[in-house]
Amino acid sequence: MAEHGRKSVWGYVGIWGVLVVLTVATWLLGTRGHLGHWSLPVALGIALTKTALVAMFFMHLVEQPGARRVVFPVSALFLALLLGLSLVEAMTRVRMARPDGPKALEPVRPASTRTAPPGSPTRRVGH
């Protein structure tokens, strides 16, 4: 078992402060930020940074020797590949064409059941 050296409390407090700042940045991005198409990538980047900080320092992955230290980056890489391939598949999906067109989705009512819009001169009184 590896010997754990004395940890600095101020290091953890500093990382906690960074996490608080990133959380406030995420809140500001969601409530007041108008980044348009960049909102989602920025929010995901902030979330990935917070996850890496928690995993490396509060879960002590940075202190682990050898292969245990590699588990987190490899897992993050595979997750990014799976999400990226899913997004590429969704973005390149071909919308299926209907041979009868979009008007076939609306039911055709007989002329006797149709009513004129309110305020039109052809609208009957009492109906």
Side-chain angles (χ1 to χ4, degrees), residues 1-2 8 20 63 70 80 104 109 116-117 121 123:
M1 185 163 213
S8 171
V20 169
E63 301 165 1
V70 180
R109 297 185 333 189
R123 185 173 176 93

Side-chain angles (χ1 to χ4, degrees), residues 46-66:
I46 291 172
L48 183 63
T49 303
K50 291 188 326 187
T51 302
L53 285 173
V54 168
M56 296 305 283
F57 295 102
F58 289 107
M59 296 173 74
H60 304 281
L61 285 179
V62 74
E63 301 165 1
Q64 297 298 317

Side-chain angles (χ1 to χ4, degrees), residues 8-124:
S8 171
V9 174
W10 292 108
Y12 290 113
V13 171
I15 293 169
W16 177 79
V18 170
L19 290 172
V20 169
V21 167
L22 290 174
T23 301
V24 171
T26 303
W27 177 74
L28 287 174
L29 179 68
T31 57
R32 297 192 174 110
H34 301 289
L35 297 179
H37 295 295
W38 287 99
S39 294
L40 182 62
V42 170
L44 287 176
I46 291 172
L48 183 63
T49 303
K50 291 188 326 187
T51 302
L53 285 173
V54 168
M56 296 305 283
F57 295 102
F58 289 107
M59 296 173 74
H60 304 281
L61 285 179
V62 74
E63 301 165 1
Q64 297 298 317
R68 287 187 224 157
R69 186 184 287 189
V70 180
V71 168
F72 178 70
V74 171
S75 300
L77 177 68
F78 278 112
L79 181 64
L81 281 174
L82 287 174
L83 290 177
L85 290 176
S86 297
L87 283 174
V88 167
E89 191 274 330
M91 292 171 62
T92 59
R93 188 177 298 160
V94 176
R95 188 174 183 177
M96 300 300 287
R98 291 177 49 108
D100 51 355
K103 289 187 176 182
L105 297 176
E106 299 174 4
V108 177
R109 297 185 333 189
S112 61
T113 61
R114 294 183 192 155
T115 56
S120 68
T122 59
R123 185 173 176 93
R124 290 187 232 166

